Amino acid sequence: MSNRTESRTTSKPDFRIADVVADLTRGGMPLRFEAYDGSAAGPADAEIRLELVNQRGLQYLVTAPGDLGLARAYVSGDLVVHGGHPGNPYEVMQKLKDHTKFRAPSASELVTILRGLGISNLKPPPPPPQEHLPRWRRLMEGMRHTLTRDAEAIHHHYDISNAFYRHVLGPSMAYTCAVYPDASATLEEAQREKFDLVARKLDLQPGQRLLDVGCGWGGMVLHAAKEYGVKAVGVTLSQQQASWAKEAIDAAGLADLAEVRHLDYRDVLETDFDAISSIGMTEHIGVRNYPSYFGFLRDHLRPEGRLLNHCITRHDNRPATTGAFIDRYVFPDGELTGSGRIITEMQDAGLEVMHSENIRLHYALTLRDWNRNLVENWDACVEEVGIGTARVWGLYMAACRVGFERNEVQLHQVLGVRTGDDGADGFALRPTW
């Protein structure tokens, strides 16, 4: 049965769904909101319309107020955006962020709303299949960031489809913030510049040994081997990533220099690396595990060996949990903190921090280009992973782009070194990169 033909008798005849939305909105509504009961709110001539098409969508909104309920309704197709593309709902996210403020209802208003909506709408429907278990259920099943749990979390996000990622990320298969040398740079140029900036900060030289933890599809490993003559080893918990990387290494004729292993970084046995890169890895390991993480990396460097940590950060260092949508649909068990905490933990692990750089606006540009790729390859992406998963990715990337633009999240590269016993760090007097 079509979503639009479901029952329209789920709320009382004199209680209009859109009126609730309008009553709880402060500062005016920049979008048109229309509900299946025939009610509407917001300007009739708005370029973008949100349409709630059935009772299930209302139940999602009522039983999980906020980003989780909206995401469930949107991913399921129960909340439809008109005037945009599901692969890039950026304008919707931007307008909601700019103009719409929802106030909390008073106790009496809440009772009236619940009575008007009807008791049937207080029962939550099953969540979309793309949704991961809630955090409390995962905690009941075991501690976060064990080898098994980390492998499951990485599998949830990264083992979707290499073909899908190729459509979205482009030929580089780089799923981390790019560095745009100028505003006209393409995504591929910017991803190459990111890898090269990391290489320059690490001062890679021919014959050196590099460990890339959380190496993804092997972009840094390939770049270091090809451009710098470095013997590079990458490790990833994703089997699909490791398989792709091996094929790319073989195709490039770099098997004598580059290697990617399907392995937890904690199982790397070699030591005395000249350099270690950690690009988009720290978000997955858990803040409480920073001491052991940075301690492990420090112990695997030779004296004067360098570590470059590249990761998403918060705009402050206060404890905070990841939003429900990101935690359930995108990065289960993911955690963020500020660059101050990153630097502190690196220093406490015995690393001398030499440089920190915030490139958050580059991530907004990266997400813009990923969204564009998703739109351009929408039919192929839907065929590969399904319409629900494709909607998740469009929503996630557009929302994150707004977050980076508004300085709610940042991206820091922090460069450290294992200083020798005599205090030597191997750096020139001024930065060389």
Side-chain angles (χ1 to χ4, degrees):
M1 179 181 292
S2 167
N3 285 340
R4 297 172 186 272
T5 60
E6 292 184 25
S7 172
R8 295 184 175 228
T9 62
T10 56
S11 59
K12 293 182 178 180
D14 59 345
F15 194 89
R16 296 163 59 84
I17 296 169
D19 293 341
V20 177
V21 176
D23 288 344
L24 297 179
T25 302
R26 296 180 296 192
M29 196 165 184
L31 308 174
R32 180 73 168 176
F33 177 82
E34 299 171 349
Y36 61 90
D37 64 350
S39 62
D45 60 349
E47 294 181 0
I48 298 175
R49 293 186 296 119
L50 296 180
E51 182 185 6
L52 186 67
V53 300
N54 57 30
Q55 181 189 11
R56 184 178 64 182
L58 177 63
Q59 290 172 321
Y60 279 139
L61 298 181
V62 171
T63 58
D67 66 332
L68 183 58
L70 286 167
R72 286 172 172 172
Y74 179 75
V75 170
S76 299
D78 304 331
L79 182 66
V80 178
V81 177
H82 299 280
H85 193 285
N88 188 14
Y90 169 71
E91 291 187 9
V92 177
M93 298 293 100
Q94 196 176 39
K95 287 182 179 295
L96 290 175
K97 194 76 173 178
D98 279 342
H99 302 288
T100 305
K101 303 287 186 182
F102 290 99
R103 64 179 180 84
S106 66
S108 60
E109 285 178 317
L110 185 60
V111 170
T112 301
I113 291 171
L114 295 179
R115 284 176 177 170
L117 291 176
I119 194 67
S120 64
N121 290 313
L122 301 183
K123 181 181 180 180
Q130 293 79 13
E131 185 170 316
H132 205 56
L133 290 173
R135 191 180 296 265
W136 66 268
R137 283 278 304 277
R138 283 176 266 150
L139 286 173
M140 288 180 63
E141 294 181 0
M143 294 296 293
R144 286 182 294 168
H145 305 299
T146 61
L147 270 67
T148 301
R149 276 283 293 277
D150 282 351
E152 291 174 353
I154 294 300
H155 172 74
H156 175 84
H157 188 69
Y158 293 100
D159 286 343
I160 298 174
S161 158
N162 281 337
F164 171 79
Y165 277 108
R166 175 63 176 77
H167 289 311
V168 175
L169 304 181
S172 71
M173 290 294 279
Y175 186 31
T176 47
C177 175
V179 175
Y180 289 73
D182 56 66
S184 64
T186 65
L187 175 62
E188 287 303 302
E189 291 169 340
Q191 289 293 8
R192 185 189 186 284
E193 175 61 20
K194 182 268 300 297
F195 289 130
D196 206 65
L197 178 61
V198 172
R200 299 195 306 268
K201 287 182 175 180
L202 290 173
D203 194 28
L204 295 183
Q205 303 294 329
Q208 288 186 335
R209 297 169 60 239
L210 168 71
L211 172 64
D212 186 35
V213 291
C215 67
W217 289 269
M220 184 65 205
V221 168
L222 283 161
H223 187 85
K226 180 180 179 181
E227 303 297 334
Y228 288 85
V230 168
K231 189 170 182 59
V233 175
V235 293
T236 173
L237 284 174
S238 166
Q239 180 64 66
Q240 290 195 29
Q241 287 180 336
S243 297
W244 174 286
K246 184 181 185 306
E247 292 180 7
I249 289 168
D250 291 342
L254 293 170
D256 58 328
L257 288 176
E259 177 188 2
V260 168
R261 304 171 185 169
H262 180 221
L263 188 71
D264 191 288
Y265 78 92
R266 288 163 284 198
D267 292 328
V268 173
L269 300 179
E270 299 97 321
T271 58
D272 293 322
F273 286 96
D274 298 284
I276 297 177
S277 50
S278 172
I279 306 174
M281 173 71 169
T282 321
E283 300 92 330
H284 298 291
I285 65 172
V287 176
R288 64 190 295 269
N289 294 318
Y290 283 3
S292 60
Y293 180 67
F294 289 118
F296 179 93
L297 299 184
R298 188 261 183 199
D299 291 344
H300 283 66
L301 285 169
R302 65 164 176 81
E304 300 184 27
R306 300 185 184 187
L307 164 67
L308 190 286
N309 192 79
H310 167 122
C311 73
I312 301 171
T313 52
R314 290 180 48 78
H315 65 283
D316 59 41
N317 296 284
R318 302 182 184 94
T321 58
T322 305
F325 168 62
I326 294 294
D327 182 64
R328 303 277 191 95
Y329 284 86
V330 186
F331 293 117
D333 293 348
E335 294 181 63
L336 300 180
T337 189
S339 61
R341 180 70 180 273
I342 299 283
I343 290 172
T344 296
E345 297 291 358
M346 287 178 64
Q347 290 173 328
D348 288 350
L351 292 158
E352 181 181 7
V353 173
M354 306 298 290
H355 187 264
S356 175
E357 181 178 7
N358 180 9
I359 55 174
R360 71 172 173 88
L361 292 180
H362 291 261
Y363 218 155
L365 296 175
T366 306
L367 288 157
R368 174 202 66 186
D369 289 346
W370 288 343
N371 265 132
R372 181 183 299 151
N373 284 345
L374 179 57
V375 170
E376 292 177 353
N377 297 287
W378 181 252
D379 291 342
C381 287
V382 170
E383 183 178 355
E384 189 67 30
V385 300
I387 184 68
T389 298
R391 286 194 189 113
V392 167
W393 278 80
L395 179 62
Y396 142 61
M397 292 189 295
C400 286
R401 176 183 172 186
V402 175
F404 280 102
E405 288 175 342
R406 306 303 167 85
N407 195 30
E408 295 171 357
V409 279
Q410 302 174 347
L411 191 292
H412 276 83
Q413 289 189 347
V414 180
L415 179 63
V417 60
R418 177 175 178 173
T419 308
D421 293 339
D422 59 354
D425 56 33
F427 278 73
L429 291 177
R430 297 297 301 154
T432 57
W433 54 86

